[in-house]
């Protein structure tokens, strides 16, 4: 078998790196269940003994969450971990925040991982809108990093596509997931997404996002869903979950509804071949249609969403189900979010242990959005488990909560699975990552 091609050699328009890393956590867990997971790259946590000896595991930088190779998801998993900790009242370690800030390029962009932060980014540095937008959401929430956040926002604005959206890699065609995570970043930074317009055409991020929405011209079961990239492609649950949140101008953190009235889910309804909905209400209407599609998919498969690896049967997609819970909560669909939430409480703990900080963070954020205690999530203390994947937190802002973790070896995503998926995409056979078919794994 030929060696796996490095991710950098794949066409950027077909594999947004942070999206790929995020969805690959589910693929890794599924592979482990099937007995086919590849051996992860060996890394050692940074210590006081300096550089590792020849032949020993590589050493991770101080402050980084997880113990797996950060080449493709370092900034992503760090950002989600910091954001989830802040959301539940944990003050992250100074070293963890310092590491994230130090990953920024001079032009404001972030890449997935810079092994030498002191070395300036050059033209070969793979700047990534997903990693950048995730860092913005984390640092904006933590506060005290206005200059870093503003530089990142300015860079994101500078690479906005003419259709109003974004791709993971600047210059590539827009996709629903990248556009949604940037909308969340703009909102978190205090910039109104609707006021951010493309230089050519003056289109907003919402204009770009709605180009991926499937309407009345598709079969009934797909109406209201979003495709990952190309309009006319198949409905995609992962893109729909992201877009249903982004269309409401919300990011990773969704405030629990509290005592607000529960909003019934209404699937997209078509009359005379046209979708119902008030003029000027495209964002909320699109989010509602997306929620309707997600609920139908959840009900069909037993309260969780499905994904599949190339050549394998479909598997429960824990990460995508968590995203769907957040999307439903964002739309005020509290009752609809309960069944997939209960499924997560029963089934997500092993997945999170396998995949580390970003996985724990997704579950913490799903719990937060639904008003569920993340410290008692189906018998798992997600907060303590998340804390244990990184440096000891500086403290807690929640009275009576102990933020001191017990260090363990939970890590990030399996880098070789990511590379393998990248190869599959390059060959045109990646079910998990094919935007033209059903891009909803990790």
């Amino acid at each position: 078998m030929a060696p796996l091609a490095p991710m950098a050699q794949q066409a950027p328009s077909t594999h947004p790196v942070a999206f790929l890393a995020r969805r690959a956590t589910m693929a890794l867990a599924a592979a482990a269940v099937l007995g086919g997971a590849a051996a992860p790259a060996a890394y050692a946590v940074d210590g006081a003994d300096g550089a590792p000896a020849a032949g020993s595991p590589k050493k991770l930088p101080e402050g980084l969450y997880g113990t797996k190779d950060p080449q493709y998801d370092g900034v992503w998993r760090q950002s989600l971990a910091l954001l989830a900790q802040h959301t539940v009242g944990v003050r992250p370690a100074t070293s963890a925040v310092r590491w994230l800030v130090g990953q920024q390029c001079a032009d404001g962009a972030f890449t997935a991982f810079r092994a030498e932060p002191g070395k300036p980014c050059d033209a070969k540095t793979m700047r990534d809108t997903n990693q950048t937008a995730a860092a913005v959401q984390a640092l904006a929430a933590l506060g005290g990093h206005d200059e870093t956040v503003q530089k990142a926002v300015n860079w994101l604005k500078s690479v906005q596509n003419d259709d109003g959206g974004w791709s993971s890699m600047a210059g590539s065609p827009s996709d629903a997931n990248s556009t949604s995570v940037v909308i969340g970043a703009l909102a978190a930074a205090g910039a109104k997404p609707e006021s951010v317009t493309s230089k050519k055409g003056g289109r907003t991020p919402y204009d770009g996002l709605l180009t991926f929405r499937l309407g009345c011209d598709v079969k009934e079961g797909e109406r209201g869903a979003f495709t990952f990239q190309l309009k006319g492609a198949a409905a995609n649950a992962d893109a729909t979950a992201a877009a249903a949140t982004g269309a409401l101008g919300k990011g990773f953190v969704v405030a629990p509804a509290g005592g607000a009235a529960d909003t019934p889910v209404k699937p997209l309804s078509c009359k005379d071949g046209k979708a119902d909905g008030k003029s000027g209400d495209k964002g909320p209407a699109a989010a509602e249609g997306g929620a309707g599609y997600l609920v139908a998919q959840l009900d069909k498969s037993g309260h969780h969403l499905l994904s599949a690896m190339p050549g394998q049967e479909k598997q429960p997609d824990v990460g995508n189900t968590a995203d769907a819970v957040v999307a439903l909560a964002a739309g005020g669909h509290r009752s609809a979010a309960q069944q997939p939430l209960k499924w997560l409480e029963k089934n997500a703990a092993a997945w999170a242990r396998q995949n580390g900080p970003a996985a724990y963070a997704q579950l913490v954020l799903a719990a937060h959005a639904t008003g569920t205690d993340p410290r008692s999530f189906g018998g798992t203390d997600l907060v303590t488990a998340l804390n244990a994947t990184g440096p000891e937190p500086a403290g807690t802002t929640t009275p009576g909560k102990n933020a001191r973790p017990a260090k363990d070896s939970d890590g990030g995503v399996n880098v070789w699975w990511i590379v393998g998926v990248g190869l599959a995409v390059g060959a045109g056979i990646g079910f998990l990552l094919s935007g033209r078919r059903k891009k909803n794994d990790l």
Side-chain angles (χ1 to χ4, degrees):
M1 179 176 177
L4 296 176
M7 285 290 296
Q9 294 179 5
Q10 307 303 322
S13 64
T14 60
H15 68 83
V17 176
F19 166 80
L20 189 154
R22 182 165 60 94
R23 282 289 150 241
T25 58
M26 182 57 210
L28 175 59
V33 170
L34 294 169
Y43 266 76
V45 177
D46 189 48
D49 57 348
S56 65
K58 297 178 182 179
K59 188 177 68 172
L60 284 171
E62 179 186 5
L64 180 63
Y65 286 78
T67 58
K68 305 293 175 62
D69 192 329
Q71 185 175 357
Y72 303 113
D73 79 324
V75 165
W76 180 268
R77 77 194 195 203
Q78 190 84 353
S79 299
L80 264 66
L82 295 175
L83 187 59
Q85 286 182 320
H86 172 78
T87 299
V88 296
V90 173
R91 288 191 291 112
T94 300
S95 62
V97 181
R98 183 189 301 120
W99 182 88
L100 181 59
V101 172
Q103 290 291 298
Q104 188 175 42
C105 296
D107 60 6
F110 283 78
T111 186
F113 176 67
R114 295 172 62 200
E116 301 178 80
K119 183 179 178 180
C121 299
D122 56 24
K124 294 181 180 179
T125 302
M126 295 182 66
R127 294 160 173 81
D128 188 316
T129 65
N130 286 223
Q131 313 273 357
T132 303
V136 166
Q137 293 192 48
L139 295 174
L142 291 172
H145 303 280
D146 293 351
E147 183 178 352
T148 301
V149 168
Q150 190 57 55
K151 285 175 61 179
V153 168
N154 289 343
W155 180 79
L156 288 169
K157 290 179 179 180
S158 75
V159 296
Q160 184 179 20
N161 287 335
D162 292 343
D163 62 7
W166 284 265
S167 169
S168 179
M169 299 301 171
S172 297
S174 301
D175 65 73
N177 293 72
S178 297
T179 301
S180 297
V181 74
V182 173
I183 287 175
L186 295 173
K192 295 181 178 180
E194 64 271 18
S195 69
V196 177
T197 56
S198 58
K199 295 177 182 178
K200 183 178 179 180
R203 296 178 67 81
T204 72
Y206 297 118
D207 292 329
L209 187 60
L210 291 175
T211 62
F212 308 112
R213 185 193 188 199
L214 298 178
C216 297
D217 55 343
V218 301
K219 58 185 180 181
E220 187 173 353
E222 294 189 349
R223 292 173 183 172
F226 284 73
T227 62
F228 171 72
Q229 194 166 54
L230 298 177
K231 188 172 183 178
N236 181 295
D238 185 77
T240 302
T245 305
L248 295 173
K250 298 182 179 182
F252 298 137
V253 178
V254 170
D262 184 32
T263 303
V265 174
K266 297 180 181 179
L268 179 65
S269 176
C270 297
K271 293 182 179 179
D272 300 323
K274 295 182 179 180
D276 291 342
K278 298 178 181 179
S279 176
D281 193 33
K282 293 181 179 179
E288 188 173 272
Y293 172 79
L294 289 173
V295 168
Q297 298 304 305
L298 288 163
D299 289 345
K300 185 185 303 183
S301 59
H303 310 307
H304 60 80
L305 296 174
L306 294 172
S307 61
M309 296 183 297
Q312 300 289 349
E313 294 182 0
K314 291 183 178 181
Q315 301 292 328
D317 188 327
V318 186
N320 198 5
T321 301
D323 289 346
V325 168
V326 172
L328 293 172
H333 309 298
R334 291 188 294 166
S335 295
Q338 287 306 304
Q339 289 296 338
L341 178 68
K342 291 178 181 177
W343 184 88
L344 287 172
E345 288 182 306
K346 292 180 180 179
N347 298 281
W351 169 80
R353 283 194 300 271
Q354 178 74 39
N355 297 292
Y360 280 121
Q362 278 187 274
L363 297 179
V364 168
L365 295 173
H368 175 75
T370 55
T372 304
D373 185 1
R375 294 176 175 82
S376 181
F377 192 80
T380 299
D381 184 340
L382 297 175
V383 178
T384 296
L386 172 61
N387 292 346
T389 69
E392 183 174 326
T396 178
T397 58
T398 304
K401 298 298 182 181
N402 183 2
R404 291 180 62 85
K407 192 78 174 176
D408 69 12
S409 59
D410 285 338
V413 299
N414 182 320
V415 66
W416 293 113
W417 171 249
I418 295 177
V419 174
V421 172
L423 177 63
V425 174
I429 61 171
F431 175 85
L432 306 181
L433 303 171
S434 173
R436 291 185 173 85
R437 286 180 286 176
K438 190 177 178 70
K439 187 164 189 165
N440 65 348
D441 227 297
L442 175 83

